[in-house]
Amino acid sequence: MDRVSSFDEPLKKLLGGATAKVMAEHLDLHTVGDLLHHYPRRYEERGKLTALADLPLDEHVTVVAQVADARILMFNNGRGKRLEVTLTDGSGRLQLVFFGHGVHKPHKELLPGRQAMFAGKVSVFNRKMQLAHPTYQLLDASDADEATEAVDAFAGRLLPIYPACKQLDSWRIAKAVDAVLPSAQDAVDPLPASLREGRGFTPLPEALLKVHRPQTKADIEDAKARLKWDEAFVLQVALARRRYADTQLPAVARRPVEGGLLDAFDAKLPFTLTEGQEKVSKEIFDDLATEHPMHRLLQGEVGSGKTMVALRAMLTAVDAGGQAAMLAPTEVLAQQHHRSITEMMGELAEGGLLGGSEQGTKVVLLTGSMGAVARRQALLDLVTGEAGIVIGTHALIEDKVQFHDLGLVVVDEQHRFGVEQRDALRSKGKQPPHLLVMTATPIPRTVAMTVFGDLETSVLDQLPAGRSPIASHVVPAKDKPHFLARAWERVREEVENGHQAYVVCPRIGDEAEEDGKGAKKAKAKKAAPDEDPEKRPPLAVLEVADELRKGALAGLSVEVLHGRMHPDEKDDVMRRFAAGDVDVLVATTVIEVGVNVPNATAMVIMDADRFGVSQLHQLRGRVGRGSAPGLCLLVSEAHEASPARARLSAVAATLDGFELSRIDLEQRREGDVLGQAQSGVRSSLRMLTVIDDEEVIAAAREEAVAIVAADPELEHLPELRTVLAALLDKEREEYLDKG
């Protein structure tokens, strides 16, 4: 068997169809290589008991514990029987429960004093943690063949506990790993020999053996150090090659012109730029002046003035004879950007129009829902070069859209656009245009290095003068209903003081509900007051707006805004809200980014626990944009001790987006952060944790850059090329562009 194909061998050949099917469907493991890279989550020492006190709710767990007692209870007038087994480990107790015919075998085997491995989903019944119908494997002497085998296999050893699923327990995965372990000898080692020896790493086949079947704790550390490095290194080589390829592309240098549009714009600004804006603008101008395409990520706090920095870059491109396009993820945001940019530019945005400035240019909007006449005019302005700046949605990417000379592309909220969309827009330039990617979700440095590794990064972490502080509080609606009543009083007070408020809900609430978690639950019955909030559908815009109009906010002007309204209707509501004609806007997350109404000072987020940390931070950034202080109330029915409430308390405790993004990442781990169709990352990061392994990532990046600079095609490193090709098949390659 050759060195690559043994890793590519389908699991069903070695494990049989049934096991292979479960592994493919539930664990996304298809080949021998996939299973060898399915590492143990942790290790149990023989005889040492897991801390039962720390079990996570609603997760599938594996525990090693001792039976304290077992008893059969009758219920239903003696017609039903239930076996209750109590486990102990010194740190806590855990109840197991078996029903009906399933009680006989465990009743005979799970005797007090017995030790076993148990696997099941943790739930709560009568305020006690329990596993219902867990599978188990005895670990002490017994007549059963399986138990004797287990003792032989595990006595005196470290037991690997694998990420498992309901259909396949950790120890069955361990047996499957035993069947494929001999193939570890065929592992293709991606590390150049000099690097491996220089850093004293264990050879790869040995590392795989040690991670799955360690004899000592030192084996585990050795294996982890090596496998983490591989993941970081292969990823960074892929990104370094991409950066290198970009530097080889030609681009038109776009340099500022003295006395041009940018100078005229700067002269009429009523405020001075922050130091951060000056510094970041310089980095961007330096990139624009080179003859290969800029690839820069501009990340900054909510309200740190990213749009201003992007606009100045766009004006520079126009000064240099080119055009600039800004791609926004939603129509509401595209319209908002168009409105704020034309307002900021004033007569400079009316090039060619009566009363417009001679130095000016035309700023056009292009969205999918525009009328035919306006659309035709916008397309004409683009192809003739009359319009120097265009702001639009995905409509900009369509084949019909042609530019006179596209010099700069600004992508707002990068995580919502895929590689195909970004490339489609870039291909509209005669030569590749410069690219500026903006995100308002602050990203820890390690994530930026890993996800946006092909982009240079600029950070805006200063808020412009005049931004007001935002006070945030959690409102526990279930435990303290009078707190919610007080929240509506606060909204009324803000309106009486001449301000406005947002109320955000997770769901729209019409029958055609299609998006988000509320989808399947949209038609569900309304929950009883004492029901679990998780069981009821998330609160909806239309229902909440209706209740507020009739109740707590009666007499105020309450309007709704959501994604399925007609674009003209949405624009009308936003305009009236911005003009101060609407007191309270009840909306979905369509207002999450870019919406700028300085007079809006209060926000109430309903079912706040249904939103992620960064999303809450984004939403909160819509208030406190003027001179009056902002207020954000996070309404939740989640239990005080739940992780959801901990998340909300973290958001209420700090306004630092970078701090919150770290908390978010620690809570969710990489699966979600690097997920969203980034299958390559999810498939390749099994040992590396982006938040904890900053040094590994930074060192791997350094080595990768040096290797790619010396040998861009990796001609002298065929093994590295092989591993990269396996990681970056067509589907996985996309993750490099999906931040």
Side-chain angles (χ1 to χ4, degrees):
M1 195 183 287
D2 76 49
R3 290 165 56 135
V4 189
S5 66
S6 72
F7 265 49
D8 292 339
E9 190 82 20
L11 284 172
K12 60 172 176 262
K13 277 195 180 177
L14 286 162
L15 305 179
T19 304
K21 188 169 187 272
V22 172
M23 285 193 166
E25 286 177 7
H26 297 281
L27 297 169
D28 197 21
L29 305 174
H30 307 272
T31 64
V32 167
D34 289 344
L35 183 52
L36 283 172
H37 289 302
H38 187 71
Y39 306 129
R41 176 179 283 161
R42 57 190 171 84
Y43 302 85
E44 285 296 348
E45 287 178 71
R46 187 72 182 87
K48 183 183 168 196
L49 301 176
T50 321
L52 294 180
D54 301 335
L55 290 181
L57 201 58
D58 281 342
E59 272 191 36
H60 202 79
V61 298
T62 303
V63 297
V64 177
Q66 200 163 20
V67 177
D69 71 62
R71 56 209 171 113
I72 284 191
L73 304 171
M74 297 298 188
F75 61 94
N76 227 353
N77 291 333
R79 288 198 295 277
K81 60 169 72 168
R82 170 170 92 234
L83 170 65
E84 284 186 2
V85 179
T86 306
L87 303 182
T88 179
D89 70 345
S91 80
R93 294 166 89 79
L94 176 67
Q95 195 161 317
L96 311 180
V97 59
F98 301 87
F99 293 100
H101 299 304
V103 306
H104 304 304
K105 187 168 180 259
H107 189 224
K108 280 192 292 193
E109 293 181 340
L110 298 177
L111 303 172
R114 276 277 168 88
Q115 199 181 355
M117 249 196 307
F118 301 89
K121 192 172 181 182
V122 183
S123 58
V124 169
F125 182 71
N126 273 345
R127 301 197 173 184
K128 283 185 189 162
M129 291 272 215
Q130 70 165 26
L131 298 184
H133 276 287
T135 50
Y136 62 89
Q137 185 174 6
L138 298 170
L139 292 180
D140 46 10
S142 153
D143 297 338
D145 292 347
E146 200 175 310
T148 312
E149 246 178 68
V151 174
D152 293 344
F154 295 123
R157 281 207 203 157
L158 291 158
L159 310 182
I161 306 292
Y162 287 92
C165 60
K166 188 178 172 185
Q167 296 77 3
L168 205 61
D169 303 317
S170 171
W171 50 87
R172 293 205 180 95
I173 296 171
K175 281 181 182 166
V177 169
D178 285 336
V180 301
L181 257 184
S183 299
Q185 295 309 320
D186 302 324
V188 176
D189 196 328
L191 295 194
S194 59
L195 195 160
R196 187 174 66 242
E197 286 151 19
R199 289 185 175 268
F201 285 129
T202 305
L204 185 56
E206 196 186 315
L208 288 169
L209 223 56
K210 281 178 168 178
V211 80
H212 288 292
R213 296 296 172 262
Q215 300 297 313
T216 63
K217 287 184 177 172
D219 281 355
I220 300 170
E221 292 313 308
D222 268 7
K224 280 187 171 178
R226 169 65 216 255
L227 296 166
K228 272 183 182 183
W229 179 272
D230 279 19
E231 288 176 9
F233 177 70
V234 171
L235 189 57
Q236 292 301 337
V237 168
L239 292 164
R241 288 187 74 191
R242 194 179 173 89
R243 277 198 306 277
Y244 179 85
D246 284 336
T247 63
Q248 303 308 299
L249 292 170
V252 178
R254 311 281 179 178
R255 296 183 181 89
V257 173
E258 211 170 313
L261 192 52
L262 177 64
D263 283 354
F265 175 74
D266 283 350
K268 64 191 281 302
L269 277 181
F271 52 82
T272 52
L273 297 174
T274 64
E275 265 174 58
Q277 286 174 319
E278 293 277 14
K279 178 175 127 313
V280 168
S281 291
K282 184 181 182 319
E283 290 169 352
I284 292 170
F285 293 158
D286 289 350
D287 281 0
L288 288 174
T290 60
E291 290 181 353
H292 58 79
M294 163 172 82
H295 283 90
R296 191 165 278 282
L297 170 70
L298 171 57
Q299 58 157 326
E301 274 293 8
V302 178
S304 58
K306 289 180 300 298
T307 310
M308 172 62 70
V309 169
L311 175 56
R312 294 182 76 238
M314 289 159 82
L315 296 175
T316 302
V318 176
D319 270 347
Q323 291 166 291
M326 182 186 256
L327 190 56
T330 64
E331 293 217 348
V332 167
L333 191 50
Q335 286 162 341
Q336 176 82 28
H337 276 317
H338 181 254
R339 199 176 304 131
S340 62
I341 282 172
T342 47
E343 278 169 15
M344 280 195 272
M345 287 176 63
E347 74 281 5
L348 295 175
E350 298 163 359
L353 300 178
L354 202 60
S357 161
E358 278 178 37
Q359 289 161 305
T361 185
K362 228 177 186 184
V363 179
V364 302
L365 176 69
L366 188 65
T367 64
S369 63
M370 282 170 80
V373 178
R375 188 182 175 77
R376 204 172 307 122
Q377 184 60 51
L379 292 172
L380 189 64
D381 287 343
L382 287 183
V383 77
T384 58
E386 186 84 9
I389 293 176
V390 59
I391 293 138
T393 54
H394 296 74
L396 278 177
I397 297 165
E398 290 168 14
D399 293 342
K400 288 198 284 283
V401 181
Q402 298 296 322
F403 288 85
H404 177 64
D405 177 14
L406 182 59
L408 170 66
V409 172
V410 178
V411 179
D412 192 17
E413 287 309 307
Q414 157 70 3
H415 63 277
R416 309 204 189 181
F417 291 100
V419 57
E420 309 83 358
Q421 294 160 326
R422 198 164 98 177
D423 284 350
L425 187 52
R426 279 165 61 187
S427 67
K428 293 184 180 291
K430 295 191 177 77
Q431 282 189 319
H434 298 281
L435 176 72
L436 180 65
V437 167
M438 300 201 297
T439 175
T441 307
I443 304 161
R445 178 169 166 262
T446 37
V447 182
M449 279 196 293
T450 308
V451 186
F452 294 106
D454 60 332
L455 301 168
E456 297 300 321
T457 305
S458 293
V459 177
L460 274 175
D461 48 14
Q462 252 180 308
L463 289 186
R467 289 298 302 256
S468 299
I470 305 169
S472 307
H473 304 284
V474 179
V475 178
K478 196 168 187 180
D479 312 340
K480 299 180 177 168
H482 59 286
F483 276 38
L484 182 57
R486 176 69 188 125
W488 299 127
E489 281 173 23
R490 283 291 292 112
V491 169
R492 200 176 265 284
E493 285 163 16
E494 289 299 310
V495 173
E496 282 163 4
N497 287 330
H499 299 300
Q500 293 157 279
Y502 298 98
V503 177
V504 182
C505 304
R507 191 164 68 86
I508 298 172
D510 54 10
E511 288 304 306
E513 195 79 49
E514 285 161 0
D515 45 75
K517 289 186 191 170
K520 294 178 186 145
K521 303 175 181 173
K523 296 181 187 173
K525 67 177 179 59
K526 210 164 181 180
D530 58 343
E531 251 181 68
D532 178 357
E534 280 302 313
K535 297 283 192 297
R536 66 161 170 75
L539 291 169
V541 165
L542 301 177
E543 292 159 16
V544 168
D546 207 37
E547 282 174 26
L548 291 175
R549 284 188 193 112
K550 292 174 185 162
L553 301 182
L556 301 187
S557 156
V558 177
E559 294 274 2
V560 301
L561 182 72
H562 59 75
R564 269 204 305 281
M565 286 163 62
H566 187 277
D568 290 349
E569 208 183 339
K570 274 192 279 199
D571 198 37
D572 175 56
V573 170
M574 268 321 294
R575 274 179 195 283
R576 286 190 295 115
F577 187 65
D581 301 336
V582 173
D583 298 325
V584 179
L585 187 63
V586 184
T588 56
T589 54
V590 292
I591 60 152
E592 182 185 342
V593 282
V595 172
N596 185 25
V597 180
N599 191 45
T601 53
M603 175 175 286
V604 180
I605 303 178
M606 308 302 291
D607 279 341
D609 46 281
R610 312 258 182 159
F611 299 98
V613 169
S614 60
Q615 206 172 23
L616 291 169
H617 183 56
Q618 284 299 331
L619 287 165
R620 170 171 64 186
R622 301 306 105 213
V623 294
R625 301 180 80 84
S627 53
L631 172 69
C632 179
L633 301 174
L634 306 166
V635 179
S636 168
E637 292 187 7
H639 190 270
E640 198 170 350
S642 65
R645 274 287 285 279
R647 214 166 54 229
L648 295 182
S649 300
V651 174
T654 178
L655 290 172
D656 181 340
F658 287 92
E659 174 60 24
L660 283 174
S661 65
R662 256 194 118 74
I663 292 168
D664 195 19
L665 191 51
E666 278 162 3
Q667 288 190 342
R668 295 193 298 159
R669 307 313 294 176
E670 287 70 25
D672 305 313
V673 179
L674 309 182
Q676 290 188 340
Q678 297 165 9
S679 53
V681 176
R682 189 167 275 176
S683 309
S684 65
L685 295 195
R686 293 165 187 240
M687 188 64 79
L688 192 73
T689 54
V690 168
I691 201 73
D692 300 326
D693 295 317
E694 184 161 343
E695 283 164 26
V696 177
I697 293 168
R701 182 180 175 119
E702 220 167 280
E703 295 278 10
V705 169
I707 281 168
V708 170
D711 182 3
E713 293 304 313
L714 307 179
E715 283 169 20
H716 305 297
L717 299 167
E719 290 84 3
L720 179 53
R721 229 177 34 235
T722 302
V723 172
L724 263 181
L727 169 71
L728 300 181
D729 56 33
K730 205 64 214 143
E731 179 202 353
R732 290 174 181 182
E733 198 163 16
E734 293 181 10
Y735 83 84
L736 292 178
D737 290 83
K738 292 199 172 158

